[in-house]
Amino acid sequence: MMHIGLSACFFHRDPKRNLFKDKTLLYLEESLAHWLMEEEILTVLIPTPGKRKAHLKKIVADLDGLVLQGGADVSPETYGEKPLKPEWSGDRIRDEYEIALVKEFRRQKKPILGICRGAQLLNVAFGGTLYQDINTQLPEALVHRNWEIYDKNFHHVAFEPASWLSKVFPKQKKVRVNSIHHQGVKDLGKGLSIEARCTEDGMVEAIRAKKGPFLFAFQWHPEFHDPKDRNLLDCRPILKSFIKAAERQ
Ligand code: MN
């Protein structure tokens, strides 16, 4: 079975937590694992290296690809900015852990798929910057995250002309996806191309590495899409392309 590495989400040490008091927890979100497991793959949560940083090469060598899952904000400090508000400080520890993973998977020429925060992290890993909060920095922009309706917040995205996505979905120019992010790509990272934008405000919604092994990322969450809702983009062809790239190793 194919082994796909998953970057962990973090619950940092918290003395008030009534479980694993003051311990760091690494976790994955269940629907993402289930979405990936619809293919013949085993998802493997990659722990932080701890004292064994040198093991990362071997860990990556044993995996066929990397999926960067959603979660906490990317820290503005990771792209050389100060947080505009304390609540937008993000998770610098997770940023560093994931950037190390991205570098090693790229070095070993293995495919990477980024989801939501994963797209933002990849943009930053390639030298790009983010909006720390879309609606503060771009007041005219659409609301890309509504906490009350959460994964029921939707908008349309259009594929860029001549993009990879436009070839994957040749009959669909404008599609509907969910939107649960308040950060977004500001300056695009080096070597990346824009694959899709929000039709309402032009926000970057998908990016891809122009060269090298498969690296693709989008802002929406396919794992939360209701497969019965025909009005939402079926993202399985993207996952299948990622798997195909992972098989080539
Ligand atoms: Mn969006």
Side-chain angles (χ1 to χ4, degrees):
M1 220 177 188
M2 178 171 284
H3 290 182
I4 297 297
L6 260 186
S7 68
C9 294
F10 286 63
F11 277 135
H12 290 292
R13 295 170 65 159
D14 178 0
K16 293 194 194 97
R17 200 191 298 126
N18 57 16
L19 201 71
F20 290 106
K21 180 182 169 182
D22 218 16
K23 304 293 178 195
T24 300
L25 300 181
L26 304 175
Y27 67 97
L28 72 89
E29 192 284 314
E30 185 183 44
S31 359
L32 176 65
H34 288 175
W35 181 68
L36 294 166
M37 285 159 66
E38 283 175 40
E39 301 297 322
E40 288 275 303
I41 59 177
L42 171 65
T43 54
V44 181
L45 193 73
I46 309 172
T48 49
K51 291 182 188 131
R52 310 302 292 266
K53 287 197 172 57
H55 282 187
L56 184 61
K57 273 184 197 167
K58 289 180 187 169
I59 290 168
V60 172
D62 274 356
L63 295 168
D64 301 300
L66 172 68
V67 173
L68 297 163
Q69 57 173 330
D73 286 351
V74 174
S75 170
E77 287 176 11
T78 305
Y79 48 90
E81 290 185 12
K82 287 268 169 276
L84 298 173
K85 280 191 185 174
E87 58 263 43
W88 301 333
S89 301
D91 189 341
R92 187 108 166 90
I93 295 169
R94 182 170 169 189
D95 297 349
E96 284 176 5
Y97 148 81
E98 285 185 320
I99 287 171
L101 291 179
V102 168
K103 281 191 181 151
E104 190 55 32
F105 274 87
R106 288 297 280 177
R107 208 185 59 77
Q108 296 193 28
K109 304 197 183 331
K110 299 195 176 191
I112 301 177
L113 183 68
I115 293 170
C116 198
R117 170 198 156 87
Q120 297 157 5
L121 188 279
L122 285 168
N123 187 55
V124 170
F126 279 71
T129 62
L130 303 176
Y131 292 110
Q132 294 183 27
D133 180 72
I134 293 169
N135 289 111
T136 303
Q137 292 176 281
L138 289 175
E140 280 100 80
L142 198 75
V143 174
H144 285 264
R145 184 178 72 182
N146 178 331
W147 198 254
E148 298 302 314
I149 55 173
Y150 202 62
D151 57 348
K152 302 292 176 285
N153 186 42
F154 303 103
H155 63 63
H156 286 92
V157 300
F159 303 145
E160 291 285 283
S163 61
W164 177 76
L165 273 183
S166 68
K167 290 183 191 95
V168 175
F169 301 99
K171 290 183 187 141
Q172 292 165 280
K173 287 219 158 50
K174 187 177 147 182
V175 299
R176 196 159 163 264
V177 297
N178 60 23
S179 186
I180 324 171
H181 59 105
H182 81 109
Q183 295 192 310
V185 171
K186 189 165 67 178
D187 301 304
L188 188 66
K190 283 184 205 80
L192 301 176
S193 61
I194 296 171
E195 284 279 317
R197 290 179 185 271
C198 172
T199 53
E200 273 131 293
D201 59 15
M203 184 59 58
V204 174
E205 291 280 340
I207 54 175
R208 186 177 66 92
K210 287 192 269 191
K211 284 187 187 153
F214 181 100
L215 183 146
F216 186 83
F218 42 82
Q219 281 292 160
W220 59 89
H221 287 264
E223 72 276 24
F224 300 152
H225 276 179
D226 177 359
K228 284 180 224 108
D229 188 344
R230 297 295 210 79
N231 291 317
L232 292 170
L233 180 67
D234 173 9
C235 298
R236 204 133 300 274
I238 300 172
L239 178 59
K240 284 191 186 295
S241 298
F242 167 70
I243 302 281
K244 211 175 261 176
E247 277 168 359
R248 260 181 250 131
Q249 302 311 316

